[in-house]
Amino acid sequence: MSAADRVAELTSAFTAPSLNVAWLLCDRHAPENVAFTVVDGDGLAATLTYGALAADSHRCARALRGLGVGPGDRVATLMGKSTDLVTVILAIWRLGAVHVPLFTAFAPQAIALRLEGAGAHVVVVDPDQRHKLDPGPDMPDDQQRRVIVTGTGTQHGDASLAALIAAAPPEPVPAVTTSGDGPLVHMFTSGTTGKPKGVVHPVSYIAGWQVYLEYGLGVTRDSRYWCAADPGWAYGLYAAVVAPLAAGIPSLLLSGGFSPETTWRTLVDHQVTDFSAAPTVYRGLRSSSVPVPQNLRLERLSSAGEPLTPEVNEWAGAALGLTVHDHFGQTEVGMPLANHHHPELARPLKAGSMGRPVPGWSLTVLADEKDEPVAPGVLGRVAIDVAASPLMSFREYQIPGQADAKFTADGRWYLTGDAGRVDADGEFFFSSRDDDVIIMAGYRIGPFEIESVLAQHPAVAECSVIGAPDEVRGEVIEAYVVLRDGIDASPELATELQLLVKTRYAAHAYPRRIHFIDALPKTPSGKTQRYLLRRRRQTELATPESR
């Protein structure tokens, strides 16, 4: 089957006027086939078959239905990678409800913003995350909120997931049908110029990810596949969980955070052939003193989340005999560009290339001053041709009107917000972002949320957050702070500001450096010019004594 025919087949399956998400992702697959292998921090593995996933998710769905969850309701998960997480997500979709993923590194303020924005009053949470939902300055008390705790032991009148499942009626939940336009996931952008925007992914969004799995990543039924991204974010949710379920291909989930030791051990123990991770994972492996194992079985390496820097493939080629294929995507649209692994589309890699359009997508580079494609090699705005991209499902953010600036006036082009160029062979190359999003270790982080937390400190008059170059993470967060009159800068105050972000926003998103300055650079209209701060920091880092 050609790539075009495959796109048409999957588009038809996931845009039907009447469809059952649980059937498409689970129930149609052979019950004895393995859906997931979940590995804990000690290397112990547990397998979850499609039959067990179907039975467990039916029981979980009955429990959620007992709390009043029904079609269209938002149910959030604040959970690590586990069989429980996969079961709960599928149970949500069995009821026609909508999944709201929450990243476990978020602090209460970031969690509250997303719960309130999505209107999620049911939260399933792991015990070690439960304290983040306690009412306080950053977590408004929601009298409607129902908290369901996994594992053992509950408090505050919480419900136990295990107890709810045990008490639920035994019969399967009735099938709930929806359409390709029906809501599936409610998540949020990184928030570069204001509060993060709500994005509601329709069921049809799945088709693009399955196409990407098969053609961009090149995963097959013979693969031993591991996507190391966290399901609290779009790439991890769809590439590690949803797309493999749709394709009926086993996927591996590793509990806990990254370490070179556990990564190498998992790659060897499970003889992984297809591995996908953010560039920071590869840089972490490269810079580690842990030796590369000799008994790897890797065949395909992929990267997404941030631009792939050249030293990664210099190392991968020498150490692994393979090159890492860079891919490009966004929360709104999915993965439209890839250096494909599928033999039908594979091409020799060009250094710095984001690849070519994934089947089902059409992209170009538009001129800065007019909505017309530029010649090959000319820098401009990377854009998606909406009408010529059957996998394009994004039309609007949660709040109507917020997406107006993402489309050209005639609606033909979706503007990715990235500057780049395309060469004569159709290869796309990233140049820069035309917003101020920070991409650190594969996570897209908006400066506004971090600035909002820093500004809450009584010593801070103004602040601005930027991404500074970093050899391992690609970028790290740094903050420029103007103090109020009468307040003196000190290392102790810098540490206090870092801790504030860790506890009130997210542990992974604190500023690695705090720079105290007299004033922020601004435009005549009063807007902070972050690009000048970035340029200043890049100059400093180029001078060894300033590092």
Side-chain angles (χ1 to χ4, degrees):
M1 181 183 295
S2 70
D5 288 342
R6 183 59 172 155
V7 169
E9 180 179 61
L10 290 173
T11 301
S12 176
F14 287 98
T15 58
S18 178
L19 49 81
N20 181 332
V21 174
W23 183 83
L24 286 168
L25 299 186
C26 177
D27 301 347
R28 63 177 169 144
H29 301 310
E32 68 275 11
N33 287 355
V34 173
F36 293 94
T37 298
V38 180
V39 183
D40 68 15
D42 296 322
L44 299 176
T47 59
L48 181 65
T49 65
Y50 280 101
L53 177 58
D56 292 348
S57 61
H58 266 293
R59 287 191 287 267
C60 185
R62 290 195 297 269
L64 293 175
R65 189 178 63 171
L67 296 178
V69 175
D73 291 334
R74 270 54 174 169
V75 179
T77 57
L78 185 57
M79 305 169 66
K81 288 169 274 189
S82 63
T83 55
D84 275 348
L85 174 63
V86 177
T87 301
V88 169
I89 292 173
L90 190 61
I92 292 168
W93 291 334
R94 282 197 183 281
L95 299 173
V98 182
H99 177 220
V100 181
L102 299 172
F103 184 38
T104 53
F106 278 143
Q109 191 170 83
I111 294 169
L113 183 149
R114 287 157 175 81
L115 292 177
E116 181 181 358
H121 300 296
V122 176
V123 186
V124 185
V125 59
D126 287 338
D128 64 341
Q129 296 285 323
R130 174 60 183 85
H131 65 282
K132 296 179 181 180
L133 300 176
D134 290 338
D138 296 328
M139 179 60 65
D141 187 11
D142 181 357
Q143 295 298 318
Q144 299 182 64
R145 183 179 301 138
R146 295 299 306 271
V147 177
I148 305 170
V149 182
T150 65
T152 59
T154 59
Q155 56 181 334
H156 309 299
D158 296 340
S160 160
L161 181 62
L164 288 174
I165 290 173
E171 71 275 1
V173 295
V176 175
T177 59
T178 183
S179 69
D181 293 329
L184 182 80
V185 171
H186 192 149
M187 56 174 32
F188 291 79
T189 64
S190 52
T192 57
T193 58
K195 287 186 177 181
K197 298 180 179 67
V199 181
V200 180
H201 295 154
V203 175
S204 60
Y205 187 74
I206 300 174
W209 282 93
Q210 187 171 347
V211 171
Y212 167 68
L213 179 80
E214 296 177 7
Y215 288 91
L217 296 176
V219 176
T220 71
R221 295 186 184 279
D222 295 325
S223 297
R224 292 176 177 245
Y225 170 60
W226 177 22
C227 172
D230 194 285
W233 299 88
Y235 191 83
L237 175 61
Y238 288 99
V241 177
V242 179
L245 284 174
I249 291 174
S251 180
L252 187 148
L253 299 174
L254 175 65
S255 301
F258 165 79
S259 77
E261 294 84 357
T262 56
T263 300
W264 287 130
R265 182 186 67 206
T266 304
L267 289 169
V268 170
D269 288 352
H270 297 275
Q271 290 292 279
V272 172
T273 59
D274 298 64
F275 182 58
S276 180
T280 188
V281 169
Y282 295 105
R283 287 193 288 262
L285 294 174
R286 170 181 174 269
S287 61
S288 170
S289 59
V290 179
V292 178
Q294 298 301 305
N295 50 344
L296 293 167
R297 195 185 156 193
L298 290 169
E299 297 176 7
R300 287 169 287 274
L301 302 175
S302 300
S303 172
E306 59 183 297
L308 188 68
T309 43
E311 78 280 0
V312 170
N313 270 329
E314 292 175 6
W315 164 80
L320 303 175
L322 297 169
T323 51
V324 183
H325 289 218
D326 195 14
H327 302 158
F328 168 83
Q330 294 185 331
T331 298
E332 292 92 336
V333 300
M335 302 298 295
L337 286 173
N339 284 287
H340 299 85
H341 283 288
H342 192 287
E344 183 181 330
L345 300 176
R347 301 287 186 276
L349 293 184
K350 294 185 179 182
S353 169
M354 295 188 290
R356 300 177 178 219
V358 173
W361 294 95
S362 177
L363 287 85
T364 194
V365 174
L366 298 178
D368 288 332
E369 68 282 357
K370 55 184 177 180
D371 299 332
E372 296 180 3
V374 297
V378 177
L379 190 65
R381 299 170 292 161
V382 178
I384 296 171
D385 188 338
V386 176
S389 300
L391 295 176
M392 177 71 170
S393 63
F394 178 75
R395 294 294 183 271
E396 182 58 91
Y397 290 111
Q398 177 186 358
I399 299 176
Q402 284 188 330
D404 290 353
K406 299 294 292 184
F407 294 89
T408 55
D410 60 4
R412 177 179 177 183
W413 303 103
Y414 168 85
L415 306 174
T416 65
D418 292 301
R421 59 183 175 84
V422 59
D423 69 10
D425 296 325
E427 299 272 354
F428 283 76
F429 294 80
F430 174 83
S431 174
S432 65
R433 295 179 297 276
D434 63 8
D435 55 25
D436 295 303
V437 69
I438 300 164
I439 302 180
M440 185 183 74
Y443 300 123
R444 295 176 67 87
I445 301 167
F448 178 83
E449 287 188 280
I450 303 171
E451 291 167 357
S452 298
V453 173
L454 290 171
Q456 295 169 19
H457 194 285
V460 175
E462 288 186 299
C463 62
S464 184
V465 169
I466 66 163
D470 181 81
E471 184 177 1
V472 174
R473 298 180 181 89
E475 288 184 319
V476 292
I477 298 166
E478 296 191 2
Y480 287 82
V481 175
V482 178
L483 296 174
R484 295 184 183 275
D485 292 340
I487 304 295
D488 295 324
S490 69
E492 292 77 15
L493 179 56
T495 300
E496 191 175 328
L497 292 172
Q498 291 172 321
L499 183 61
L500 180 67
V501 176
K502 284 184 178 181
T503 56
R504 304 195 76 173
Y505 177 62
H508 71 293
Y510 74 94
R512 266 54 177 183
R513 291 283 298 269
I514 302 287
H515 306 274
F516 295 106
I517 58 177
D518 294 331
L520 298 175
K522 295 183 178 181
T523 65
S525 63
K527 294 181 180 179
T528 301
Q529 296 172 302
R530 291 192 185 93
Y531 78 94
L532 292 179
L533 294 174
R534 287 196 296 268
R535 184 182 301 170
R536 167 178 168 173
R537 188 61 179 141
Q538 289 166 355
T539 301
E540 291 173 349
L541 290 172
T543 308
E545 59 267 25
S546 299
R547 296 179 181 175

